[in-house]
Amino acid sequence: TIAFDGDLKFEPILADLKPKGSREKWYAFARKVRAGTRIEPKIALAACLSSVLVKICGVLPFFVHFHGQSEGGKTLSAMLGVSAFGNPSVDSAYAGTFDGSKVGFEVKADLLNNLPYFMDDTAQIKKEMDKKGGFAPFIYTLCSGKGRDRSNKNLGLNRTNHWCTTFITTGEEPILEENAQGGAVNRVLEIKCGYDRISKMAMPWPKF
């Protein structure tokens, strides 16, 4: 028997990380996508499934960012990949958005550990990031796989957060600026989504 031994505040995320619906229907749909012509959902699915291989391969976490015009399929592509592990809705506790703090991102990444971390819509924090030199520092932090050392009230050190996964993000614009340093560039795969709308009518995602 496997049981979660952690803080109760994480229960909403755990509730979204469970089997739901028909495995065979999901497999059938995933095969259909992989046989199709759209590259974006194929990359999203591969990026999410690769999250559990990052540590095994001995490499660092990395970002896969989907950007483009509205209804170009960026969020839907990312949701397909996330659906392999849990509730893919952007309103779910597992998937989520960029609406959070630096510490909050570290804590959630530590909880997910090797599961893909999905954040939708960079526009939510773009102004804030622009004041700090863009998204590069944010990317460096999460791709390091380790949070900051923090002291406690007893002048000791709290447990340091660790993770080793992939970060799947979306936005209307690229996440990196043209003058971004090479270190950040090497940690991000940016995918520009096409102009053809991807229909979600046949998505085999049951309501959680």
Side-chain angles (χ1 to χ4, degrees):
T1 300
I2 299 176
F4 176 67
D5 181 19
D7 201 304
L8 293 177
K9 64 186 177 183
F10 295 129
E11 284 191 349
I13 296 178
L14 296 175
D16 282 334
L17 292 171
K18 62 182 180 182
K20 189 77 172 181
S22 169
R23 180 191 297 263
E24 294 308 318
K25 286 183 178 180
W26 190 91
Y27 280 162
F29 183 78
R31 294 189 187 101
K32 182 179 178 181
V33 170
R34 286 171 58 83
T37 59
R38 291 296 293 265
I39 190 69
E40 304 95 317
K42 295 181 187 180
I43 293 177
L45 188 57
C48 287
L49 293 177
S50 71
S51 65
V52 296
L53 300 176
V54 174
K55 184 175 182 180
I56 295 175
C57 294
V59 297
L60 290 174
F62 60 93
F63 272 67
V64 178
H65 181 69
F66 296 89
H67 65 94
Q69 67 174 14
S70 180
E71 297 190 347
K74 52 186 182 293
T75 299
L76 199 60
S77 294
M79 289 171 66
L80 171 62
V82 173
S83 71
F85 295 91
N87 186 353
S89 170
V90 293
D91 297 324
S92 75
Y94 169 43
T97 66
F98 274 94
D99 186 16
S101 66
K102 183 178 180 180
V103 175
F105 291 132
E106 290 184 13
V107 170
K108 185 174 180 179
D110 179 72
L111 171 68
L112 295 178
N113 197 6
N114 301 125
L115 299 184
Y117 193 143
F118 172 37
M119 290 176 281
D120 187 49
D121 194 7
T122 54
Q124 294 182 334
I125 60 171
K126 188 176 187 309
K127 290 183 178 180
E128 178 183 347
M129 289 297 178
D130 287 343
K131 296 177 183 178
K132 301 178 181 179
F135 280 90
F138 176 77
I139 293 170
Y140 271 119
T141 297
L142 292 183
C143 287
S144 70
K146 179 182 178 182
R148 292 179 58 184
D149 291 333
R150 294 182 173 88
S151 62
N152 54 38
K153 62 181 180 181
N154 298 320
L155 299 182
L157 288 176
N158 290 326
R159 172 187 168 278
T160 302
N161 293 322
H162 289 87
W163 56 87
C164 197
T165 187
T166 56
F167 294 90
I168 315 300
T169 60
T170 68
E172 292 189 357
E173 301 177 0
I175 199 170
L176 289 176
E177 296 77 14
E178 292 183 358
N179 60 348
Q181 296 181 350
V185 173
N186 292 336
R187 289 166 171 80
V188 180
L189 294 173
E190 291 199 307
I191 314 299
K192 186 174 182 180
C193 293
Y195 294 97
D196 296 329
R197 182 175 181 178
I198 295 180
S199 174
K200 61 180 180 179
M201 294 295 291
M203 291 293 184
W205 301 335
K207 293 183 178 179
F208 276 67

